[in-house]
Amino acid sequence: MSEILEKRKKQIRRKGAGPYEMTCEKHSLAGAVSQRACVFCGSRVVLYPIADALHLIHGPVGCAAYTWDIRGALSSGPQLHRRSFTTDLREQDVIHGGEKKLYQCLKELIAYYRPKAVFVYSTCIVGVIGDDVEAVCRQVSRETGLTVISVASEGFKGTKKDGYRAACRALSELVGTGDISSISPFSLNILGDFNIAGETWAIREYYRRMGIEVVSTITGDGRVEDIRRAHGARLNVVQCSGSMVHLAREMKEKYGIPYIHVSYFGLQDMSKALYDVAEFFQDAAAMQKARRLVREEIDRVLPELMRIRTDVQGKKAGIYTGGAFKAFSLVASLRMLGIRTAFVGSQTGSPDDYKRLEEFCDPGTIIVDDANTMELVRFSQETEIDLLIGGVKERPVAYKLGIGFCDHNHERKISLAGFEGMLHFAQEVHASVMSPVWKLIDRKNINVGNA
Amino acid sequence: MSSQMSTIFTATRNPCRMCTPLGAVMVFSGIADAVPFLHGSQGCSTYIRRYLIGHFREPVDIACSNFSESSVIFGGWQNLQAGIQTIIEQYHPQLIGIATTCLAETIGEDLPQMIRRLQNELPESGPILVSVSTPSYQGSHTDGFRRAVKAVVEKLAQDGPAGRHINVFSGMISPEDIRHLKDIFMDFGLDAMILPDYSDAFDSGIWSRYEKNIESGTAIESIRRCGQAQASIEFGSVGDASASAGDALLRRFGTPLYELAFPIGVRLNDIFFERLRMLSGCEVPSRYVGQRSRLIDSYVDAHKYVFGKKTVLYGPADWVAALAVFLDEIGMIPVLCAAADCTGKLKEYLAEHLGPDKAERIAVIEDTDFASIEEKAAALRPDILIGDSNGYKISRNLRVPLVRLGLPIHDRIGASRITALGYRGTQQLFDRIVNALLETQQDNSPVGYTRL
């Protein structure tokens, strides 16, 4: 088994081993085969679900090729977000600058596709060749009357988290530009849910049943006009805190809109989200409706969850996610199914996230920041897990070692949020760990000591 | 709608090309004890990993020098140095294949010079460093692939006494096709070095340990001998000659080069097998005579189902070229040949191989995108599409079947096991095409015949 690299040791922690100390939010170690992506990736995934905007990637072709129709983020109307547009810069553009090409692309695409707004993503070399993307965007804006927003997402300028920040800055150019006169005092924005497999729709329906108006969904099933009106809501409900908290903070400063953090994964967290919202509005009727809703929904899914639990309890899992917020809900959801989490990590957790994880997890649990492939292999084998939860990049790590895997990333096509989502999650776990194929693989005999 | 369809776009809409480093990474992954390394941003390696994992459903480890803002200002030397060190510690490779990205090239990194310096700093027993220039604003993934093969050969090939072995630069083909080629060479008694050979790295069984990731592939020792080979075979005759490994060996060692189209269909395979007969001095083994005969027999069985069927072909130019020749031989009409990359030679190739009259009736576009293919395809009313999964939307919108071939295939299982080469591979492809047509005919029939 490969050794942990010396320079990585401070980003790995075993609960109970001495006083809490852990490093994170560092640039990834060169050569370490990190599971992270880049600034552009952060911006792209956050803004992607805005379905009536045109998303133009300014740079060579690769960044657009790899992110075409990549998320499982659904739209109830326009499907423009599922296309991939790029200026596809060539050698001559790199030499002479890409501004003219960008201008030309924008004018033609806007005339043909008639989007409600445009996001222009800068990729690595755009900053280096000196294109004034903002100026081109302003000019096209003037000429077309459309909002054209420059997203400063050059890949090397930080980590994925910086990409979230750039996306939030872009969004805040839209917020505050729409008419808010007809918005109810019982109203909120859903921030940080991306409508993977219709999750935003489920959450929106819960709030509707509580008598609360959803002004905008940022960005799942997102629409430019709704985001323009977001400042008319009384509350921002923020999931996936890493990606959306910047916008929530800015809206608090600028418009005085308070925000709360929630998670829609797992029965406990989902219920708590609804209660917290009802409590915020201090409305007895809303609270009563929330209670009824929670009771009804849990009654609906609990029997099946308990049946699944009898099959899967006693298994062990590892978790590796993009943001850390999801890890908490996953540990809790697995606990509900009788599954212990042996290691848990994320690409972009904050010091606060990891400290809370340490408190939340069982003794001995390994906590890791920005793991690389070899570390995931090592932890998976060492802790003898039956199940790894992560994204597609982690899938082959599990499968090659004969371990079950559940996709909990943004490319999945199964909704895992909300009460119904917890049932789907349990079914996924069940299909993963109960499959008879694992019986054909002798995990115990996997030779871990002989590299 | 028609006025809109004639709109010309400066932007690329739904790209066909992937970027050049992706091809280089595939090559380095197919060399034994080698690790691919990208000199640039973290995202490049992660996106390419993600893309290849989606296709092969196998682990793909790509290291990266992971540029930060300061690397862009002061250069990436320190990151490169640190990254190589980390890779050595973790993977203990014998070769590290370093491909540049658009960022590294744009800031003017002199990678060959850096590699020389780094190599000098490494101990004798340390890995060999090979670099290739693959800025994504220059060419496509297929160009990156060819350039990397050439870079490896140029770095490793040594002079020496002439041998009987042959070099095979088989291009971007599936793991199963690589395995099939190996069988063919073995049956001819030919000692063949296939570069790259990712048949195991991208399509392996359950592992005993993860480090296996890098162990399989073309042996470095075999690559060293490629200057002494009796000949090179290189597939993909419409590719860029300046990036040809076979051409490099011809110039440096005088190794004869046979540039062949991908052997798909009877005609192109006959050329390939004749070449092997001459190189080996052996007659075509009986099993291939049998495969050829059965393939033709199936052509006869199915000829009416495929005759005159209009086909949209898309993918790398060299694949499109060979497939067009194959379709022509079974009576299908490649109404649109769309190349992701830009060779400028596809039209000429088709005229040469199908005759000027037929070629005249084929719409040929190079360096295109899927939005353009869809607009062209809609007007041509095809019966079937052949190409990678990215054409699925077109197939859905036009309600015609898609036979999946190439990369990426990320909406089906078994991309690694799809074959098209040799008589046997063609057989599989032919059966899939015929059955896709039959299935569509059956599904669309108001009668629902149970026998066709």
Side-chain angles (χ1 to χ4, degrees):
Chain A
M1 194 183 290
S2 69
E3 285 303 306
I4 302 287
L5 294 163
E6 200 54 44
K7 284 182 185 151
R8 288 270 317 133
K9 284 184 175 164
K10 284 186 175 158
Q11 281 164 275
I12 299 162
R13 160 88 188 151
R14 203 173 291 258
K15 176 167 177 176
Y20 177 79
E21 191 192 356
M22 196 169 157
T23 309
C24 60
E25 295 185 329
K26 281 177 65 174
H27 205 73
S28 298
L29 181 62
V33 195
S34 162
Q35 306 294 91
R36 278 184 186 166
C38 59
V39 179
F40 164 73
C41 174
S43 296
R44 182 80 176 110
V45 294
V46 166
L47 298 174
Y48 172 90
I50 304 173
D52 55 357
L54 190 135
H55 303 266
L56 176 64
I57 298 163
H58 187 35
V61 73
C63 303
Y66 305 132
T67 55
W68 173 19
D69 203 16
I70 194 172
R71 290 197 98 164
L74 300 184
S75 162
S76 54
Q79 303 290 330
L80 192 53
H81 66 304
R82 296 181 63 192
R83 290 172 171 264
S84 173
F85 299 104
T86 172
T87 51
D88 193 355
L89 294 181
R90 306 296 172 97
E91 195 157 17
Q92 288 307 309
D93 305 316
V94 174
I95 296 165
H96 301 295
E99 288 176 16
K100 264 191 205 149
K101 193 172 192 183
L102 173 61
Y103 173 83
Q104 198 69 31
C105 288
L106 282 170
K107 291 292 288 257
E108 291 164 0
L109 291 171
I110 289 169
Y112 185 81
Y113 291 98
R114 304 189 178 284
K116 298 284 188 221
V118 182
F119 294 98
V120 178
Y121 303 75
S122 289
T123 60
C124 281
I125 66 167
V126 168
V128 180
I129 63 176
D131 280 3
D132 191 345
V133 178
E134 296 232 359
V136 176
C137 289
R138 271 198 306 274
Q139 189 187 348
V140 175
S141 240
R142 263 199 313 275
E143 292 174 13
T144 60
L146 206 68
T147 308
V148 182
I149 301 170
S150 157
V151 187
S153 53
E154 288 93 339
F156 61 88
K157 285 189 170 168
T159 65
K160 195 170 169 183
K161 263 188 170 177
D162 298 286
Y164 297 153
R165 207 181 290 265
C168 286
R169 267 199 299 273
L171 286 167
S172 67
E173 288 191 36
L174 286 177
V175 174
T177 56
D179 173 23
I180 57 172
S181 52
S182 60
I183 294 173
S184 146
F186 293 99
S187 58
L188 55 78
N189 299 310
I190 298 176
L191 266 59
D193 190 277
F194 301 101
N195 203 30
I196 310 298
E199 288 173 344
T200 308
W201 297 334
I203 305 303
R204 196 185 180 121
E205 176 62 14
Y206 296 152
Y207 290 133
R208 191 197 61 77
R209 281 163 68 182
M210 286 167 61
I212 295 165
E213 178 184 348
V214 174
V215 179
S216 70
T217 52
I218 304 178
T219 55
D221 198 14
R223 295 293 182 282
V224 171
E225 288 312 316
D226 294 341
I227 299 169
R228 288 187 190 283
R229 299 170 70 237
H231 61 300
R234 297 300 165 96
L235 175 67
N236 277 329
V237 184
V238 188
Q239 190 184 233
C240 188
S241 49
S243 70
M244 277 294 162
V245 77
H246 313 291
L247 182 66
R249 275 195 206 122
E250 193 183 316
M251 287 175 72
K252 188 176 178 192
E253 277 168 32
K254 222 164 158 179
Y255 308 104
I257 303 170
Y259 64 90
I260 57 170
H261 287 293
V262 299
S263 164
Y264 300 125
F265 295 113
L267 299 187
Q268 281 172 358
D269 288 352
M270 183 63 240
S271 311
K272 186 171 183 303
L274 299 182
Y275 293 147
D276 286 355
V277 167
E279 202 159 292
F280 169 85
F281 287 108
Q282 298 197 324
D283 178 58
M287 183 56 93
Q288 206 182 358
K289 286 176 189 161
R291 288 215 179 90
R292 195 187 317 134
L293 188 161
V294 167
R295 204 179 321 116
E296 281 171 15
E297 293 294 323
I298 289 184
D299 281 350
R300 219 152 51 88
V301 297
L302 202 60
E304 180 63 12
L305 285 176
M306 288 303 108
R307 260 195 300 280
I308 289 172
R309 186 189 155 99
T310 54
D311 279 350
V312 301
Q313 62 187 343
K315 301 283 183 188
K316 270 190 288 184
I319 298 170
Y320 192 72
T321 56
F325 95 96
K326 204 154 56 183
F328 291 96
S329 302
L330 282 171
V331 173
S333 298
L334 288 169
R335 252 181 210 154
M336 185 181 187
L337 297 172
I339 297 175
R340 190 169 78 74
T341 301
F343 75 86
V344 54
S346 80
Q347 291 172 26
T348 58
S350 67
D352 200 39
D353 290 331
Y354 291 122
K355 191 143 194 345
R356 280 177 54 218
L357 263 179
E358 162 101 358
E359 286 158 17
F360 195 66
C361 290
D362 300 326
T365 304
I366 297 168
I367 301 167
V368 56
D369 174 59
D370 187 20
N372 64 45
T373 311
M374 291 304 229
E375 289 165 4
L376 292 175
V377 170
R378 188 195 161 97
F379 300 145
S380 298
Q381 293 191 319
E382 186 188 311
T383 58
E384 298 180 341
I385 54 169
D386 305 282
L387 173 71
L388 179 66
I389 300 178
V392 177
K393 288 192 301 294
E394 287 79 35
R395 185 179 65 196
V397 170
Y399 284 177
K400 276 297 158 201
L401 302 173
I403 294 168
F405 174 80
C406 283
D407 187 356
H408 210 298
N409 205 355
H410 58 87
E411 291 175 57
R412 66 194 150 79
K413 309 293 180 287
I414 300 166
S415 74
L416 301 177
F419 300 100
E420 191 78 19
M422 176 62 199
L423 184 57
H424 298 161
F425 175 68
Q427 286 162 342
E428 272 275 283
V429 169
H430 189 254
S432 306
V433 302
M434 297 310 291
S435 165
V437 300
W438 310 120
K439 289 182 187 158
L440 301 171
I441 301 160
D442 186 2
R443 260 184 235 155
K444 291 272 180 243
N445 242 339
I446 282 176
N447 183 356
V448 294
N450 183 13
Chain B
M1 195 65 195
S2 60
S3 68
Q4 287 176 330
M5 265 162 53
S6 59
T7 311
I8 290 168
F9 288 91
T10 309
T12 293
R13 301 165 300 147
N14 299 345
C16 282
R17 284 177 303 128
M18 287 147 255
C19 65
T20 31
L22 180 136
V25 159
M26 287 181 70
V27 172
F28 296 135
S29 300
I31 297 172
D33 294 308
V35 174
F37 188 106
L38 292 184
H39 192 41
S41 294
Q42 179 64 48
C44 304
S45 65
T46 303
Y47 273 133
I48 291 174
R49 284 180 71 200
R50 167 67 196 85
Y51 213 72
L52 292 176
I53 288 170
H55 175 80
F56 290 111
R57 295 172 186 267
E58 293 285 321
V60 179
D61 283 10
I62 307 169
C64 179
S65 51
N66 194 8
F67 272 38
S68 62
E69 281 198 87
S70 64
S71 353
V72 172
I73 299 164
F74 303 111
W77 164 251
Q78 276 183 346
N79 281 51
L80 179 67
Q81 206 180 16
I84 296 292
Q85 212 50 53
T86 306
I87 276 300
I88 294 173
E89 275 176 51
Q90 275 201 301
Y91 291 82
H92 317 289
Q94 287 186 38
L95 186 145
I96 302 176
I98 303 149
T100 58
T101 60
C102 51
L103 178 60
E105 294 280 351
T106 307
I107 64 169
E109 293 278 276
D110 183 356
L111 192 62
Q113 187 267 334
M114 289 163 125
I115 295 299
R116 275 195 297 277
R117 191 173 151 197
L118 255 181
Q119 190 82 66
N120 288 336
E121 287 177 9
L122 290 176
E124 279 282 295
S125 59
I128 304 161
L129 308 178
V130 180
S131 73
V132 59
S133 168
T134 48
S136 54
Y137 50 74
Q138 207 186 62
S140 73
H141 54 295
T142 42
D143 295 306
F145 191 100
R146 287 166 69 86
R147 281 181 219 158
V149 174
K150 187 182 175 209
V152 169
V153 162
E154 284 186 327
K155 177 83 181 189
L156 295 178
Q158 291 172 349
D159 211 350
R164 295 294 303 154
H165 57 283
I166 63 166
N167 307 316
V168 181
F169 306 116
S170 47
M172 206 178 267
I173 62 177
S174 78
E176 187 64 28
D177 273 336
I178 295 180
R179 281 193 283 264
H180 185 44
L181 287 179
K182 282 189 197 171
D183 286 346
I184 294 174
F185 296 128
M186 199 168 66
D187 290 339
F188 269 99
L190 281 164
D191 173 9
M193 176 211 62
I194 299 183
L195 179 69
D197 175 6
Y198 42 73
S199 60
D200 197 45
F202 288 158
D203 190 22
S204 67
I206 294 291
W207 289 354
S208 57
R209 57 200 163 80
Y210 193 84
E211 289 82 346
K212 236 181 141 279
N213 194 18
I214 70 165
E215 285 170 5
S216 58
T218 317
I220 290 171
E221 278 316 304
S222 319
I223 308 174
R224 285 194 206 280
R225 292 194 306 145
C226 71
Q228 305 152 32
Q230 66 152 320
S232 303
I233 290 177
E234 189 156 0
F235 290 154
S237 21
V238 294
D240 173 14
S242 73
S244 154
D247 190 60
L249 289 175
L250 171 65
R251 285 162 192 272
R252 190 163 142 204
F253 301 102
T255 317
L257 167 65
Y258 301 104
E259 288 185 287
L260 303 177
F262 287 115
I264 306 171
V266 172
R267 276 190 275 171
L268 294 178
N269 268 298
D270 285 352
I271 296 169
F272 175 54
F273 276 81
E274 174 61 14
R275 181 53 57 199
L276 297 187
R277 197 181 65 81
M278 288 170 74
L279 288 171
S280 67
C282 296
E283 285 311 305
V284 176
S286 60
R287 63 191 302 187
Y288 300 101
V289 176
Q291 286 173 9
R292 182 181 189 277
S293 180
R294 286 194 295 278
L295 178 62
I296 295 174
D297 187 66
S298 70
Y299 280 7
V300 171
D301 291 341
H303 69 279
K304 283 196 210 301
Y305 302 131
V306 298
F307 183 78
K309 290 287 185 273
K310 290 186 285 183
T311 312
V312 167
L313 280 178
Y314 58 86
D318 48 11
W319 269 96
V320 169
L323 286 166
V325 174
F326 159 62
L327 291 183
D328 180 60
E329 126 185 329
I330 58 174
M332 290 175 73
I333 307 168
V335 285
L336 173 60
C337 287
D341 43 353
C342 185
T343 66
K345 289 186 280 188
L346 186 54
K347 203 166 180 76
E348 193 188 321
Y349 180 92
L350 294 174
E352 195 182 317
H353 288 79
L354 307 187
D357 290 350
K358 279 183 191 162
E360 201 51 46
R361 292 196 291 271
I362 300 174
V364 178
I365 41 175
E366 296 200 31
D367 192 7
T368 189
D369 58 31
F370 279 101
S372 306
I373 293 176
E374 175 154 17
E375 286 153 8
K376 286 224 165 14
L380 292 165
R381 302 185 158 275
D383 299 292
I384 192 165
L385 314 177
I386 301 175
D388 59 68
S389 288
N390 281 332
Y392 170 67
K393 285 280 176 57
I394 304 178
S395 140
R396 187 182 165 98
N397 292 343
L398 300 183
R399 295 169 175 274
V400 292
L402 165 63
V403 171
R404 285 170 178 76
L405 188 67
L407 186 153
I409 296 174
H410 42 36
D411 59 348
R412 288 290 184 275
I413 203 152
S416 301
R417 296 178 289 279
I418 287 178
T419 81
L421 304 192
Y423 300 113
R424 198 189 74 183
T426 305
Q427 183 75 70
Q428 192 209 57
L429 177 64
F430 178 75
D431 292 349
R432 289 171 67 217
I433 291 171
V434 176
N435 286 333
L437 288 165
L438 288 179
E439 195 177 323
T440 309
Q441 188 192 331
Q442 194 172 33
D443 288 350
N444 294 343
S445 146
V447 184
Y449 291 108
T450 54
R451 292 167 192 222
L452 294 170

